[in-house]
Amino acid sequence: MFRRAAGTFPLRQTSRSASRLWNFSSQTSEVDVPIPEREGRVFVDSIFPILLGKFDFRRYFVEPRKNILLTNLKERFNNVNTHDLRILSVDPHFKDGGAFIHFKYKTREEEEQALKNIEESLKKEARNHGGITTWMGSRTPNVWLVKGSPWTEDIIGRSASGMLKVSFEGPDIPEETLYRIFRPYGRIEDITLPTPVPAGTQRFSMIHYNRIHSATVARNVVYGLEVPTSGGRTRLRISYTSPIEAHVIRDWITNHPRIFLPVLFFLIGTLTYTIFDPIRTLMVEAKLLDWFDLKQFRFYKWLRANTLERLYTKTDSIPVDKQIWKEREDAQRGIYAYLSDLPSTVTFVHGPQGSGKSTLIASALKSAERKSLIIDCRELSKASSDAQLVAGLAKQTGYWPIFSFLNSMNNLIDLASVGLIGQKAGLSRSVDEQLQQILDTVALALKTVSEKQHKQITKKIQAKGQGKPADGSNIAKGSDNEKANASEVNQKQDDQSSSVDAGKKKENDVADIQAVEALPIVVIRNFAGKAVREDLLNSLAQWAAKLAENQIAHVIVVSDNRENSKKVAKALQSKPLNFVALYDADEASALAFVQEKLREADDNVKLTSEDRTYVKRLGGRSVDLESLVNKVRTGMGVKEAVEDIISRGIGELRKNAFGDDAEDAKNLPWTRGQAWTLLNLLSKKAEVPYHQVLLDYPFKGDESPLRSMEHAELISIATRDGRPTVIRPGKPVYRWVFECLVNDPIFRATQEIEFNNQLVSIAETTIRSCEEELLKLAEIKHVNGSSIWFGEDSASRRSQYLLKKMMESVRKLEGLERKNVELKKTLSKLSS
């Protein structure tokens, strides 16, 4: 028993000793083993502005304070002692607006929990001391624990954005995991799943934040984080992506031309309408109101009045005797009557070339003293292309700016759009549309000018009316006789009411006169002249009708031929045209005109009876009479001058009517035979019947050669009741030109031989056709037999008719050949 007790005791004592030894050794290890030191990083945002691009100028304002802000940040966080925190460095990430704080700490706890404690301590330090100094003042920025290995690049071309491209260096990460990783840094608008990519590139997802600030924090905190997945660990590489990627606009335009091109052209048209059209309207107004005319400037008028006009005084010309212009008085009265009333139609002034239309219109415009616009169709007809035509009309109307060089480019764009979208883009416009746009802009400017002129005239009348005594008829006069009876009082009241009505009527008349005087005048010269394009004439005709019907302006159309009025009459359907005709002066007026012009030139030339006879040959065409006066002033005699005018007319007529040679004559709209026929007839008579010439050879009912010769001013066709009646020479002097040409033996012989050859050819054709038909009739008689018991044989009667006709053609053929033989003998004699 002792042994057992003694045996057990040492065992208990031994166990207690061992226990004490173990506790001592463990306490010794806790004191002696050092705590491991670790490193970490946090990202402090909002220290600097987030740079949104290379042209963000905020960087230049913050750069001088950069070191101060970083020093304040380090000093603020140096007070934190959690886990023996020791700040190693503060690294700015200027482009993303923040800074990385690199620190060391000691802890025996788990690393994740220690870092969270340090993060909370740093945030608490910033809150308790009123925040941290940032580029916008004292604020409390957020502190974010860095989970990956950040990349602090400063590439200028890569600026921050709200979209992050998260590339996977390893297996794909599920959408739920991405959401848990990136959601703490801000509200996420969308996450895209990885899509197939080319071989050798990393798959990626797109994360779209609603704020750029959240995206910058997420990129700097999560970059380089390794995420465990079922297939292994995946490292995240994060980069900014612009909301509109490079070339995405170009690719979208290429893939959607049907949407983009119409929108683009609509925007271009809207830009043109809102910017250029008001400028063009203003430029047309400037032309009408002479804003850029140097002669209208006050300084120029003052300078001219004090320099040139002091040295040179212009003498007034002697007025021409009214007898000289008696043929034009009706035309002048007609134009003045049209200009003195509100327009409801268009005035069409017509007359042969040289009859004084331009002089008459210039006189009317000068007398009216109103703003005018002149469009010359003859100048526009010289345009060799559509672009020159549009530019010419724009220049005459003051329409500017105009981009004619873009027409070809627009055509190329239309061709390209046909290949892309299957139809034209509509950017290029036809000539009609371009002309119509110019004319519409001019119409708007004319209306604006009319309104301005009306206001100006009203101001002048009001200025003149100030300070004048009122009309006594509108003031009730008191009666000196206080005992006037009631009938006299009533009579005075009636007189007063009638005077008030007369005054109102007078005011209305004055308002109408002001409205008429404010309207501008539009003159369209040489309408439907030679080689004028039909599209231009149609556009001008419709535009003239629009101006007249809307009472925007008085419109005067000037042409050489009455037939040219059809286009204007067609455009003005509801109302007839106001025709004003100008004709050649008679012989007495022509003589008086020449004498007056010579007297104005101080030429002591007295017209003898022979001179008067030669002057009469020129007729009443003013251009020929002016030419005669100029030649006499240079020293030529009247007879010599008239003969020179006639000889010049002969050369012009040979070229214009017959051509220089046979090849040139083929291009004329008439034949030489037709021209010679009219020439021969009008050399003998002053006028010939229209239908008689039209029905006979060589016209045979074809009116087009006659109309062409009329447009060429070789002849003139007089009308009565709207139908042609007689044919006259194109100018009075042509009567003598025709006679000289017909009396020229060589020219007459050559033309008659050519004309006779045509008749010979016709006669031979007639004889040949008669012979062929007679042979057929002979066969018919042979089949039917020659005995006819009842009635007359139709074949025999037809044969007699053909024989008679063939005999006439044979006789005519023989006569023509004999005549040609004689003419050829004459030519040989004259040539030798």
Side-chain angles (χ1 to χ4, degrees), residues 169-206:
E169 198 174 281
D172 291 349
I173 298 178
E175 185 177 13
E176 296 83 355
T177 304
L178 288 176
Y179 180 81
R180 286 195 298 270
I181 293 173
F182 287 92
R183 177 61 182 87
Y185 309 106
R187 176 75 66 179
I188 297 176
E189 291 188 357
D190 190 19
I191 299 178
T192 62
L193 297 177
T195 56
V197 295
T201 58
Q202 296 177 351
R203 291 166 62 86
F204 61 89
S205 291
M206 302 295 295

Side-chain angles (χ1 to χ4, degrees), residues 702-718:
D702 187 7
E703 293 184 278
S704 58
L706 292 175
R707 296 297 180 184
S708 299
M709 282 189 275
E710 183 186 21
H711 283 292
E713 299 177 359
L714 299 178
I715 61 173
S716 63
I717 301 175

Side-chain angles (χ1 to χ4, degrees), residues 350-570:
H350 64 93
Q353 187 176 5
S355 58
K357 299 186 295 297
S358 298
T359 304
L360 180 64
I361 297 300
S363 176
L365 294 179
K366 185 177 181 180
S367 300
E369 295 182 352
R370 286 154 57 181
K371 301 302 178 182
S372 60
L373 178 67
I374 299 177
I375 299 176
D376 194 348
C377 297
R378 183 171 297 170
E379 293 296 326
L380 298 177
S381 64
K382 298 178 182 178
S384 58
S385 63
D386 295 342
Q388 291 184 3
L389 175 63
V390 175
L393 181 61
K395 182 178 180 181
Q396 291 189 13
T397 56
Y399 183 89
W400 185 89
I402 182 171
F403 309 105
S404 301
F405 63 92
L406 294 178
N407 290 337
S408 58
M409 187 181 298
N410 294 337
N411 293 331
L412 293 176
I413 294 175
D414 270 353
L415 292 176
S417 65
V418 170
L420 291 173
I421 63 178
Q423 61 183 4
K424 289 186 177 181
L427 190 61
S428 63
R429 293 174 299 174
S430 62
V431 181
D432 294 340
E433 293 175 346
Q434 296 181 51
L435 295 176
Q436 192 62 43
Q437 181 184 5
I438 294 175
L439 295 176
D440 289 343
T441 304
V442 174
L444 181 61
L446 288 170
K447 186 176 181 180
T448 306
V449 169
S450 176
E451 294 174 353
K452 291 182 179 179
Q453 291 294 107
H454 189 274
K455 293 180 181 178
Q456 188 175 359
I457 293 172
T458 304
K459 289 181 179 178
K460 289 182 179 179
I461 294 176
Q462 292 176 353
K464 290 181 180 179
Q466 291 179 357
K468 293 184 179 181
D471 190 359
S473 61
N474 295 330
I475 301 176
K477 297 180 180 179
S479 174
D480 294 335
N481 188 5
E482 297 179 355
K483 297 181 179 180
N485 53 25
S487 62
E488 292 178 353
V489 174
N490 294 334
Q491 184 66 30
K492 288 183 179 180
Q493 292 177 353
D494 294 339
D495 293 340
Q496 292 176 4
S497 60
S498 62
S499 65
V500 171
D501 295 337
K504 291 182 179 180
K505 184 178 180 181
K506 185 176 181 180
E507 290 178 358
N508 294 332
D509 294 341
V510 171
D512 293 340
I513 293 173
Q514 293 178 8
V516 171
E517 292 179 351
L519 291 178
I521 302 173
V522 177
V523 179
I524 304 176
R525 298 176 54 191
N526 300 313
F527 187 79
K530 297 179 182 178
V532 179
R533 298 177 48 160
E534 290 293 328
D535 50 0
L536 174 63
L537 297 179
N538 293 330
S539 299
L540 289 175
Q542 295 175 2
W543 180 64
K546 176 183 176 181
L547 295 180
E549 290 176 345
N550 297 328
Q551 295 185 348
I552 298 176
H554 286 96
V555 184
I556 301 176
V557 180
V558 184
S559 180
D560 296 338
N561 195 341
R562 181 187 173 96
E563 296 295 327
N564 298 330
S565 64
K566 293 181 179 179
K567 291 183 176 61
V568 185
K570 184 178 179 181

Side-chain angles (χ1 to χ4, degrees), residues 39-60:
E39 294 184 2
R41 286 187 181 183
V42 292
F43 179 75
V44 183
D45 62 10
S46 303
I47 302 297
F48 310 108
I50 299 175
L51 300 183
L52 303 178
K54 62 178 67 176
F55 299 107
D56 194 341
F57 296 102
R58 293 179 297 174
R59 69 176 74 183
Y60 302 109

Side-chain angles (χ1 to χ4, degrees), residues 36-81:
E37 192 173 30
R38 302 175 183 179
E39 294 184 2
R41 286 187 181 183
V42 292
F43 179 75
V44 183
D45 62 10
S46 303
I47 302 297
F48 310 108
I50 299 175
L51 300 183
L52 303 178
K54 62 178 67 176
F55 299 107
D56 194 341
F57 296 102
R58 293 179 297 174
R59 69 176 74 183
Y60 302 109
F61 298 102
V62 180
E63 184 68 26
R65 302 177 56 199
K66 176 181 176 181
N67 295 328
I68 298 175
L69 295 176
L70 295 177
T71 302
N72 292 336
L73 178 64
K74 186 175 182 180
E75 291 177 354
R76 175 66 64 195
F77 288 150
N78 276 332
N79 299 326
V80 178
N81 296 319

